[in-house]
Amino acid sequence: MLIVTPEHNGTMPANLKNAIDWSSRPFGVSAISGKPVAIIGTSFAQYGGVWAQNEARKALGIAGAKVIENTVLAVPNSMVRFAETHPKDDAEIVEQLRAFLAEFVTELDALEAAPAAEEQAA
Ligand SMILES: Cc1cc2nc3c(=O)[nH]c(=O)nc-3n(C[C@H](O)[C@H](O)[C@H](O)COP(=O)(O)O)c2cc1C
């Protein structure tokens, strides 16, 4: 699962928190339990919503998801940066997204291979 979020008052938007909370029940056997999830986003301030992303990672981890920690993309100054240019026409953003997705897929492949390696060792 890939979550793309803005930042609201220094944390994730309330509706994202609500979605994470409800997806965590019944705890341990919920839809989100053990599911690999990465978080990216943009916001108009200078840090690109990293607080929102960190809070979402924390909530998802407690909810039982398998949070991919190493893949991060937080784009600052969204209002200025995308005022006249759509993200799909911003070469730097497209490159960052490509790199992010490549890393995300690598991490998912590693996760998928891990149980097989454990089975072989047993
Ligand atoms: C209620 C509210 C609070 C926000 N708080 C922050 C914030 O703390 N930090 C930040 O970088 N951007 C903040 N923003 C900006 C959003 O992250 C986002 O960049 C902006 O709302 C544009 O996205 P939108 O068109 O989807 O609303 C806030 C926006 C709203 C509506």
Side-chain angles (χ1 to χ4, degrees), residues 6-10 42-45 49 78-79:
E7 182 168 276
H8 282 180
N9 294 329
T42 182
S43 76
F44 59 42
S78 57
M79 300 289 233

Side-chain angles (χ1 to χ4, degrees), residues 44-81:
F44 59 42
Q46 60 181 322
Y47 300 115
V50 286
W51 285 343
Q53 295 186 21
N54 288 340
E55 294 288 329
R57 283 188 195 95
K58 177 182 159 197
L60 284 158
I62 293 171
K66 170 79 190 141
V67 182
I68 308 286
E69 302 277 355
N70 298 332
T71 48
V72 173
L73 179 55
V75 181
N77 306 318
S78 57
M79 300 289 233
V80 176
R81 178 151 201 161

Side-chain angles (χ1 to χ4, degrees), residues 16-38:
L16 174 57
K17 178 67 164 62
N18 192 246
I20 293 170
D21 287 344
W22 284 105
S23 68
S24 73
R25 292 299 187 271
F27 189 76
V29 291
S30 72
I32 210 169
S33 190
K35 185 157 284 183
V37 51

